[in-house]
């Protein structure tokens, strides 16, 4: 379902479930006369939309029109006709679905466009497109009273009815008296026609749901207001006691207001240069500034079409595509437009036959008119909140309840210095250059990395040294290859600390000297690190040999298990063996940011580029090994959480996804934990034993499996059926987005299994029936409070940890893929943060390590082990609202249900790194840094 965001309202108030949301830039209002678009940039953006609609088959037309449209696109991209170049370009770029059949006709038309500039080509493209019946049409499925499948659409002229791609009826705005909806019914009330005595007064259409009706009704209201009204509708006063219907009204300038504004004022031209085109042209003024007219499909429309759209597209409105939310508009659009959530199904807007100021009273509750003046946008999707630049705005505030000890980090106010003004003092004392904060990130993460190496070289060696369970060959393989790396990074850390101490000195912070650089330090040490490549390659061999030895030696296996239960081993032991390979990825990312920040003339640029080249070479050399070892490590980690499996880490097996699904059985829907591999899908039930392991109930070999969505068949939302060779299973996901992820990954795994001809081993020692264990029947699931109170704290030691990723996914009812694990490991962060609970007064300064989907809290970076941890799967990250009274800079908020934590960073750079990385890992979202106004959220 697609709805439009209101630019005048904070994004976080309009998106309730951000992880199920995709933001796109698309054109919202298609003007009937493209000659009103006077600026070349605006016409270019409209041309991108036409190009995208052609490519996806939305803009249908006959072959001649399609060939002519493509010929103008090719002319704007490669210039005058050259037969060889034109054919090669058409072979490399697909503009319409049936392009190969029209190749000759496109070339023939292109031959006639010699001398035509890119701007003229865009103009001709719009001239042809506007005459097509499907120009600017967005179809919404519906049925008439007889059940005939139709589609509704809205345009500048009125409401349109389509059967397939053929327009069968049109209701002009002048003939429409009222538009309304009631539940699934969309009603069009017409004005009486004096010439026809038996004319039907009310037309009724059935749509998919009430939400679909409401979305389409709101779009009709906006189209009517934009094209028919003289001025923006005035806000409707709120009733004192009772309300009826929706209060939604169009907000923003109308078409007439935009045109008048351009006529009466000096509208600032937007510089525009086509870097992809051989021919450059000038731009004029436009009464349709891009911020108003282009809402854009944005993989920025530019990515879909091969162009790079300029920044004004980012100042346009945004559409939210959210197929995952079944009751979407009842929640999100009520936030967006002020309408109440589900109080009344009846909503209407009365439409007058002619534009006048009185019409504003019927179609409107928008705020005051927005100013079209261009302003400098904050960087990378930032907005100003509480006097600070924020790089994201997602989610809603949870219920205001006292945080429970279940997910609260077990830290008290005692022993912590409250430093409300410390960041202000630091700003005056320390440098503010971005390169300094990049170097500081290198320092803070290097400290954590050295601590992680100590877990293997010091603590683990001391643990196994007390016992002779480890063979000398394995002991030498591990420690002889880790200790040189550890000693090297001790020197590396010392060099970085010295450089930062010089850089942030009180007396020389304002002086630009040789010490205000870090590329030379990186280059020197990375060249030294290249000499240790042989040791780095041995780390994966050490992990494999350790696992083989543990299988044959219960004594060594027990030692490793006991060591993992120690506080200092805050992650699974196997992850520490992969830390050196992950650290190479961290160096590469840091150097990429440094090179991007420095201009080519900067004294540190050359060293940074050389260091980046060296580390990139190492990453490429070891990347294949890292991928294999990450998969092997994950299989070993899952093996500890499962019971009933003989050997999970068999050769050739690859982990794909784990998470919660509900399995349909004779007793109804029962929560199960599913594990998807490239050869088998296993489902488990949670045991209530002391080991907290999951018992395997059954498996479905993927070879020969088929999958089918079955929501209509079983009446269960988000359900699908898996048909195996021996049995079939009906499962349901918690949301449409979760179902989409599972279905996509299962289909991919089935394809992999079919390619391998089903050569997968039987791995279960138990039967394949789905029977509950006695422990499970007593209690199917544990409350969130019991989980965190007993297992989130790292101060308690149990025979098996219950805060692993599997257990967190179980209690938060979510899923995680192998790609998510890889992204999390590549985006580790460390540093000081100030933390505040929802109802506390002061801020506590903590050393925080962000890794493996969790925040680990230390008093200082010298601490041997974390005091507490906070698993973040299921959490949302937002910025505080004004009502929360967090009047500090660089604050982001983490919340899950009633649990709320505020974190405050020392600089804008660290704020962006923590908030963006946390957001990326939790919701798989990313921000485009090149365009400071565009934010692309990827689910």
């Amino acid at each position: 379902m697609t709805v439009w965001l209101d630019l005048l309202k904070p994004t976080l108030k309009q998106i309730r479930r951000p992880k199920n949301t995709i933001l796109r830039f698309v054109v919202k209002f298609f003007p009937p006369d493209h000659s009103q678009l006077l600026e070349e940039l605006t016409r270019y953006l409209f041309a991108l939309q036409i190009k995208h609609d052609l490519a996806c088959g939305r803009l249908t037309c006959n072959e001649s029109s399609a060939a002519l449209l493509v010929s103008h696109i090719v002319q704007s991209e490669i210039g005058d006709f050259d037969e060889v170049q034109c054919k090669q370009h058409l072979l490399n770029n697909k503009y319409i679905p049936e392009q190969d059949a029209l190749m000759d006709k496109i070339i023939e038309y292109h031959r006639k466009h010699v001398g035509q500039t890119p701007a003229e080509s865009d103009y001709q493209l719009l001239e042809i497109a506007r005459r097509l019946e499907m120009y600017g049409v967005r179809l919404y499925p519906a049925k008439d009273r007889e059940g005939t499948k139709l589609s509704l659409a809205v345009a500048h002229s009125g409401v349109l009815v389509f059967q397939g791609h053929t327009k069968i009826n049109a209701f002009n705005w002048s003939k429409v008296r009222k538009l309304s909806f009631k539940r699934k019914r969309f009603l069009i009330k017409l004005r009486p026609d004096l010439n026809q005595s038996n004319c039907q007064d009310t037309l009724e259409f059935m749509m998919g749901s009430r939400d679909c009706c409401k979305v389409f009704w709101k779009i009709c209201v906006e189209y009517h207001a934009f094209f028919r009204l003289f001025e923006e509708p005035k806000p409707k006063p709120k009733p004192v006691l009772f309300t009826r219907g929706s209060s939604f009204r169009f907000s923003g300038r109308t078409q007439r207001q935009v045109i008048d504004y351009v006529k009466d004022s000096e509208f600032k031209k937007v510089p525009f240069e086509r870097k992809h085109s051989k021919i450059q042209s000038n731009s004029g003024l436009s009464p349709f500034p891009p911020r108003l007219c282009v809402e854009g499909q944005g993989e920025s429309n530019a990515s879909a079409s091969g162009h790079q759209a300029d920044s004004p597209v980012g100042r346009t409105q945004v559409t939210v595509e959210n197929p995952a939310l079944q009751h979407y508009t009842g929640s999100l659009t009520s936030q967006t437009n002020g309408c109440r959530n589900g109080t009344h199904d009846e909503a209407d807007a009365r439409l007058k036959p002619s534009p006048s100021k009185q019409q504003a009273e019927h179609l409107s509750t928008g705020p005051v008119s927005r100013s079209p003046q261009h302003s400098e946008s904050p960087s990378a999707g930032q907005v100003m909140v509480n006097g600070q630049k924020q790089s994201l705005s997602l989610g809603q505030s949870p219920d205001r309840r006292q945080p429970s000890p279940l997910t609260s980090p077990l830290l008290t106010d005692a022993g912590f210095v409250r430093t409300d003004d410390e960041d202000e003092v630091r700003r005056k004392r320390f440098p503010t250059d971005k390169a300094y904060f990049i170097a500081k990130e290198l320092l803070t993460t290097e400290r954590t990395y050295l601590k992680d190496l100590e877990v293997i070289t010091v603590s683990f060696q001391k643990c196994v040294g007390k016992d002779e369970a480890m063979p000398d060959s394995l002991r030498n393989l591990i420690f002889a290859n880790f200790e040189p790396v550890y000693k090297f990074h001790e020197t590396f850390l010392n060099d970085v600390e010295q450089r930062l101490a010089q850089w942030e000195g009180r007396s020389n912070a304002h002086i630009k000297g040789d010490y205000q650089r870090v590329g030379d330090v990186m280059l020197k040490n990375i060249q030294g690190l290249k000499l240790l490549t042989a040791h780095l390659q041995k780390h994966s061999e050490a992990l494999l040999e350790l696992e083989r030895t543990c299988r044959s030696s219960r004594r060594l296996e027990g030692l490793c298990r006991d060591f993992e239960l120690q506080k200092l081993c805050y992650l699974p032991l196997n992850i520490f063996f992969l830390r050196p390979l992950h650290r190479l990825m961290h160096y590469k990312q840091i150097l990429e940011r440094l090179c991007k920040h420095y201009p080519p003339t900067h004294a540190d640029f050359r060293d940074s580029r050389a260091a980046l080249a060296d580390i990139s070479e190492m990453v490429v050399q070891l990347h294949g090994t890292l991928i294999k070892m990450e998969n092997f490590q994950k299989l070993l980690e899952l093996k500890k959480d499962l019971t009933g499996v003989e050997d999970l880490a068999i050769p050739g097996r690859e982990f794909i996804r784990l998470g919660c699904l509900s399995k349909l059985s004779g007793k109804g829907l029962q929560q199960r934990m599913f594990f998807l591999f490239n050869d088998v899908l296993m489902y488990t039930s949670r045991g209530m034993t002391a080991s907290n392991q999951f018992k395997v109930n059954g498996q479905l070999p993927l070879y020969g499996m088929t999958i089918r969505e079955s929501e209509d068949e079983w009446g269960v939302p988000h359900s699908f059926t898996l048909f195996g060779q021996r049995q079939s299973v009906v499962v349901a996901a918690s949301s449409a987005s979760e179902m989409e992820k599972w279905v996509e990954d299962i289909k991919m795994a089935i394809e992999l299994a079919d390619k391998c001809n089903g050569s997968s081993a039987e791995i279960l020692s138990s039967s394949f029936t789905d029977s509950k264990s006695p422990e499970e029947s007593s209690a199917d699931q544990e409350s969130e409070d019991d989980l965190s109170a007993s297992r989130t704290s790292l101060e308690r030691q149990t025979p098996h940890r219950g805060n692993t990723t599997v257990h967190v996914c179980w209690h938060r009812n979510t899923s995680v893929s192998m790609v998510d694990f890889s992204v999390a490991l590549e985006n580790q962060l460390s540093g000081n943060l100030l933390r505040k609970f929802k109802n506390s007064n002061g801020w506590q300064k903590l050393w925080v390590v962000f890794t493996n989907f969790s925040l680990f809290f230390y008093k200082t970076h010298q601490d041997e082990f974390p005091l507490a941890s906070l698993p973040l799967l299921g959490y949302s990250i937002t910025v505080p609202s004004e009502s929360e009274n967090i009047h500090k800079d660089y604050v982001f908020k983490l919340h899950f249900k009633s649990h709320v934590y505020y974190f405050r960073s020392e600089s804008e750079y660290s704020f962006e790194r923590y908030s963006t990385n946390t957001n990326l890992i939790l919701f798989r979202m990313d921000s485009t840094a090149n365009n400071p106004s565009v934010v692309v959220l990827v689910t």
Side-chain angles (χ1 to χ4, degrees):
M1 189 176 296
T2 302
V3 298
W4 297 93
L5 291 186
D6 189 341
L7 288 182
L8 301 181
K9 297 180 180 179
T11 307
L12 64 90
K13 291 188 177 181
Q14 303 181 67
I15 302 178
R16 175 166 294 182
R17 301 176 187 175
K19 65 180 178 181
N20 301 323
T21 302
I22 300 174
L23 300 185
R24 302 182 187 275
F25 290 95
V26 296
V27 172
K28 184 172 187 178
F29 301 116
F30 289 80
D33 185 6
H34 65 288
S35 63
Q36 293 175 322
L37 308 176
L38 301 182
E39 186 177 357
E40 181 188 347
L41 171 59
T42 310
R43 292 195 300 271
Y44 170 71
L45 296 173
F46 272 83
L48 287 182
Q49 183 67 61
I50 298 301
K51 182 179 174 182
H52 183 273
D53 290 350
L54 273 174
C56 67
R58 180 180 290 162
L59 182 58
T60 58
C61 55
N62 58 43
E63 292 182 355
S64 297
S65 298
L68 188 56
L69 288 168
V70 173
S71 69
H72 284 295
I73 295 174
V74 174
Q75 175 68 20
S76 69
E77 292 186 357
I78 68 174
D80 290 342
F81 176 78
D82 179 273
E83 186 169 358
V84 176
Q85 184 183 15
C86 181
K87 285 185 178 180
Q88 189 63 36
H89 186 77
L90 290 173
L91 290 174
N92 296 334
N93 299 274
K94 192 170 184 179
Y95 299 107
I96 52 178
E98 302 297 332
Q99 181 170 298
D100 294 339
L102 300 177
M103 183 84 73
D104 295 336
K105 190 172 289 188
I106 295 171
I107 293 175
E108 180 183 350
Y109 282 130
H110 185 206
R111 194 190 308 269
K112 300 176 182 178
H113 302 331
V114 175
Q116 189 170 285
T117 65
E120 291 170 346
S121 297
D122 288 345
Y123 188 92
Q124 293 300 326
L125 181 71
L126 297 176
E127 172 66 27
I128 300 167
R130 76 180 183 92
R131 300 177 186 274
L132 300 177
E133 193 168 69
M134 297 298 293
Y135 168 71
V137 170
R138 303 290 185 260
L139 299 177
Y140 294 81
K143 295 180 180 180
D144 60 12
R145 289 182 175 178
E146 287 73 32
T148 305
K149 291 185 178 180
L150 303 170
S151 295
L152 298 180
V154 61
H156 67 278
S157 58
V159 181
L160 312 177
V161 182
F162 285 81
Q163 192 164 27
H165 286 85
T166 304
K167 185 169 66 175
I168 62 174
N169 210 339
F171 304 100
N172 196 284
W173 293 125
S174 60
K175 296 180 180 179
V176 176
R177 178 172 60 89
K178 180 181 179 182
L179 295 175
S180 62
F181 69 95
K182 189 170 185 180
R183 296 182 177 89
K184 295 184 179 181
R185 294 184 296 152
F186 184 81
L187 306 175
I188 304 176
K189 296 184 179 180
L190 303 175
R191 300 185 183 280
D193 192 346
L194 300 178
N195 298 326
Q196 299 181 11
S197 57
N198 58 349
C199 179
Q200 189 175 0
D201 176 64
T202 303
L203 299 173
E204 179 177 317
F205 298 88
M206 296 293 294
M207 304 191 79
S209 64
R210 174 188 177 275
D211 294 339
C212 294
C213 269
K214 186 173 184 179
V215 168
F216 183 66
W217 171 80
K218 291 168 72 173
I219 293 174
C220 291
V221 171
E222 292 181 316
Y223 260 75
H224 176 270
F226 183 77
F227 287 107
R228 297 281 292 177
L229 299 188
F230 282 146
E231 61 184 19
E232 180 188 14
K234 299 297 185 295
K236 183 179 179 180
K238 293 184 179 180
V240 178
L241 296 176
F242 302 100
T243 62
R244 178 176 175 80
S246 173
S247 61
F248 171 74
R249 295 297 183 268
F250 171 76
S251 61
R253 282 181 170 78
T254 65
Q255 178 181 230
R256 175 61 63 87
Q257 285 179 309
V258 175
I259 295 174
D260 293 340
Y261 173 79
V262 175
K263 290 180 180 178
D264 299 335
S265 63
E266 291 289 332
F267 188 80
K268 182 180 178 182
K269 289 201 299 184
V270 178
F272 177 53
E273 179 181 357
R274 296 171 184 261
K275 297 181 180 180
H276 69 279
S277 179
K278 297 178 181 179
I279 307 172
Q280 303 298 326
S281 56
N282 298 324
S283 60
L285 294 179
S286 171
F288 284 88
R291 66 178 297 165
L292 177 61
C293 295
V294 180
E295 274 205 85
Q297 190 83 256
E299 285 126 5
S300 92
N301 271 353
S303 60
S305 58
H307 297 296
Q308 178 62 46
D310 292 70
S311 59
V313 72
R315 291 192 277 271
T316 62
Q317 296 179 356
V318 183
T319 175
V320 179
E321 261 188 21
N322 197 340
L325 303 183
Q326 185 178 11
H327 303 286
Y328 175 82
T329 47
S331 59
L332 189 146
T333 53
S334 63
Q335 298 285 337
T336 308
N337 304 300
C339 55
R340 291 171 295 108
N341 182 8
T343 307
H344 291 284
D345 282 337
E346 177 77 22
D348 65 85
R350 303 186 180 278
L351 311 180
K352 297 299 181 181
S354 59
S356 66
K357 292 184 178 180
Q358 295 178 351
Q359 286 176 297
E361 299 175 1
H362 299 288
L363 285 170
S364 91
T365 57
V368 288
S369 173
R370 78 186 83 174
S371 170
Q373 295 288 348
H374 293 281
S375 59
E376 294 296 325
S377 301
S379 62
Q382 296 170 344
V383 292
M384 296 299 295
V385 178
N386 298 333
Q388 68 194 53
K389 290 185 179 180
Q390 309 289 7
S391 62
L392 69 164
S393 52
L394 309 168
Q396 294 293 324
S397 297
D399 298 333
R400 294 186 172 275
R401 291 165 48 195
Q402 181 68 26
S404 162
L406 64 152
T407 53
S408 302
L410 303 181
L411 300 173
T412 62
D413 292 348
F416 290 93
V417 179
R418 301 184 181 276
T419 55
D420 283 350
D421 299 323
E422 182 175 331
D423 53 342
E424 285 81 359
V425 175
R426 289 184 60 83
R427 285 197 196 99
K428 296 178 181 178
R429 176 180 175 183
F430 294 108
T432 58
D433 182 26
K434 184 177 180 179
Y436 163 77
F437 294 109
I438 296 175
K440 190 167 184 180
E441 180 185 339
L442 171 65
L443 171 65
T444 55
T445 53
E446 190 71 15
R447 284 172 174 167
T448 298
Y449 174 54
L450 201 64
K451 285 287 184 183
D452 290 347
L453 290 179
E454 285 181 1
V455 173
I456 299 293
T457 58
V458 179
S459 304
F460 185 60
Q461 186 175 12
K462 183 178 179 180
C463 176
V464 297
K466 298 177 182 178
D467 201 299
E468 297 181 355
M470 179 178 287
D472 292 338
S473 59
L474 176 60
R475 190 190 306 271
N476 294 332
L477 179 62
I478 295 176
F479 303 118
N481 288 290
F482 267 90
E483 287 179 350
V485 177
Y486 173 71
K487 292 178 180 178
F488 168 81
H489 283 281
E490 277 188 319
T491 305
F492 189 3
L493 176 61
N494 186 54
D495 290 345
V496 177
E497 285 178 337
Q498 289 182 359
R499 179 55 56 88
L500 265 293
Q502 293 173 329
W503 199 333
E504 64 189 19
R506 183 188 296 269
S507 60
N508 55 18
H510 63 284
I511 303 174
K512 300 294 182 183
D514 289 340
Y515 48 80
Q516 291 189 341
R517 54 191 299 189
V518 75
D520 57 332
V521 177
M522 292 286 288
L523 178 60
K524 182 187 74 171
N525 285 277
I526 287 176
Q527 288 174 344
L529 186 60
K530 290 179 68 176
L531 302 177
L532 300 175
T533 303
H535 293 290
L536 296 176
Q537 291 173 334
K538 289 287 186 179
H539 291 174
S540 59
E541 184 180 336
L543 177 58
L544 292 169
E545 187 61 30
L546 176 63
E547 172 60 19
R548 281 194 290 264
T549 307
C550 286
R551 289 182 183 180
S552 59
S553 173
R554 289 189 176 182
R555 196 170 170 187
L556 179 60
E557 183 182 11
L559 282 176
C560 293
R561 183 174 60 250
D562 293 340
F563 179 74
E564 277 194 317
L565 293 176
Q566 295 183 22
K567 296 178 182 180
L568 56 87
C569 190
Y570 65 100
L571 295 172
L573 175 61
N574 294 328
I575 290 183
F576 293 101
F577 280 81
L578 301 181
R579 274 292 187 249
L581 298 180
H582 292 143
R583 189 56 179 161
L584 300 180
M585 303 292 295
H586 301 160
Y587 291 148
K588 184 173 180 290
Q589 293 175 2
I590 288 172
L591 285 166
E592 285 174 345
R593 285 193 293 275
L594 202 60
C595 292
K596 189 174 182 179
H597 169 68
Y598 283 142
T601 56
H602 194 279
D604 203 25
F605 179 76
R606 179 176 296 180
D607 289 340
S608 300
R609 282 293 295 269
L612 177 59
D614 288 343
I615 199 67
S616 299
E617 181 182 345
M618 294 184 66
V619 168
V620 171
Q621 184 178 355
L622 298 171
H623 186 64
T625 302
L626 176 60
I627 293 177
K628 293 179 181 178
M629 297 316 299
E630 280 184 346
N631 178 72
F632 181 66
Q633 181 274 325
K634 184 51 60 180
L635 293 176
L636 296 181
E637 183 180 339
L638 294 179
K639 181 181 177 182
K640 299 172 184 176
D641 286 311
L642 298 178
T643 181
V645 181
E646 290 182 358
D647 190 1
L648 190 65
I650 62 175
R653 171 162 293 155
E654 296 179 10
F655 166 70
I656 298 176
R657 178 175 289 276
L658 66 86
C660 267
L661 291 171
S662 297
K663 181 177 177 293
L664 186 62
S665 65
K667 299 180 181 180
L669 287 174
Q670 296 177 316
Q671 186 179 3
R672 293 287 181 263
M673 197 73 185
F674 279 72
F675 299 84
L676 176 63
F677 305 93
N678 64 334
D679 60 342
V680 67
L681 176 65
M682 299 162 43
Y683 53 93
T684 66
S685 58
R686 184 178 183 276
M688 298 300 292
T689 61
S691 63
N692 293 315
Q693 290 176 298
F694 286 82
K695 178 186 177 184
V696 177
N697 295 113
Q699 72 164 348
L700 287 173
L702 297 181
Y703 179 68
M705 178 186 286
T706 58
I707 184 172
R708 184 184 71 198
E709 296 184 16
S710 52
E711 181 173 339
D712 296 335
E713 179 181 355
W714 295 99
V716 179
H718 320 308
S719 63
F720 54 94
T721 305
L722 302 169
F723 298 94
Q725 294 180 344
R726 287 178 291 184
Q727 66 179 120
S728 62
V729 176
V730 180
V731 295
S734 59
S735 65
S737 64
E738 278 292 307
M739 185 185 80
E740 183 180 353
K741 294 176 185 177
W742 275 105
V743 170
E744 180 180 351
D745 285 349
I746 291 174
K747 287 181 178 178
M748 177 190 68
I750 292 174
E751 292 178 3
L752 293 175
D754 290 341
K755 290 179 181 178
C756 297
N757 298 322
S759 56
S760 60
E762 296 292 335
I763 64 169
L764 299 182
S765 58
S766 59
S767 65
F768 301 141
T769 58
D770 182 17
S771 59
K772 284 190 175 183
S773 62
E775 296 86 359
E776 182 190 4
S777 60
S778 62
D780 276 344
Q781 63 180 9
E782 200 174 10
S783 69
E784 180 75 13
D785 295 281
D786 293 337
L787 165 73
S788 294
S790 61
R791 301 184 184 89
T792 305
S793 171
L794 297 184
E795 294 181 357
R796 296 194 180 192
Q797 297 184 13
T798 59
H800 183 80
R801 281 200 181 141
N803 65 340
T804 64
T805 305
V806 177
H807 288 82
V808 175
C809 285
W810 171 268
H811 286 278
R812 306 274 170 84
N813 197 18
T814 186
S815 67
V816 181
S817 70
M818 189 63 206
V819 177
D820 300 325
F821 282 108
S822 298
V823 171
L825 292 171
E826 292 174 7
N827 289 275
Q828 177 176 305
L829 282 173
S830 307
N832 287 309
L833 287 177
L834 299 176
R835 189 198 63 181
K836 177 183 180 299
F837 294 112
K838 183 169 62 175
N839 295 324
S840 64
N841 295 323
W843 296 83
Q844 302 170 357
K845 184 177 180 181
L846 301 169
W847 177 263
V848 181
V849 175
F850 175 44
T851 184
N852 202 32
F853 306 109
S854 298
L855 291 177
F856 295 92
F857 301 97
Y858 302 76
K859 216 173 180 183
T860 67
H861 69 85
Q862 291 96 347
D863 291 354
E864 294 295 327
F865 53 84
L867 298 173
S869 66
L870 178 63
L872 294 184
L873 288 174
Y875 268 73
S876 299
I877 179 169
T878 66
V879 292
S881 62
E882 293 185 3
S883 61
E884 294 171 274
N885 296 319
I886 306 295
H887 302 297
K888 297 292 181 181
D889 290 343
Y890 316 130
V891 177
F892 62 93
K893 178 174 72 172
L894 289 170
H895 54 89
F896 172 73
K897 295 183 178 179
S898 63
H899 314 293
V900 181
Y901 307 99
Y902 301 98
F903 293 95
R904 184 167 144 218
S905 55
E906 63 179 357
S907 66
E908 180 182 354
Y909 173 81
S910 58
F911 167 80
E912 290 178 354
R913 291 288 295 142
Y914 272 100
S915 57
T916 304
N917 268 19
T918 307
N919 194 37
L920 170 66
I921 292 171
L922 294 183
F923 307 116
R924 303 284 305 282
M925 299 178 179
D926 193 12
S927 298
T928 56
N930 293 331
N931 192 334
S933 306
V934 180
V935 178
V936 181
L937 303 183
V938 182
T939 55

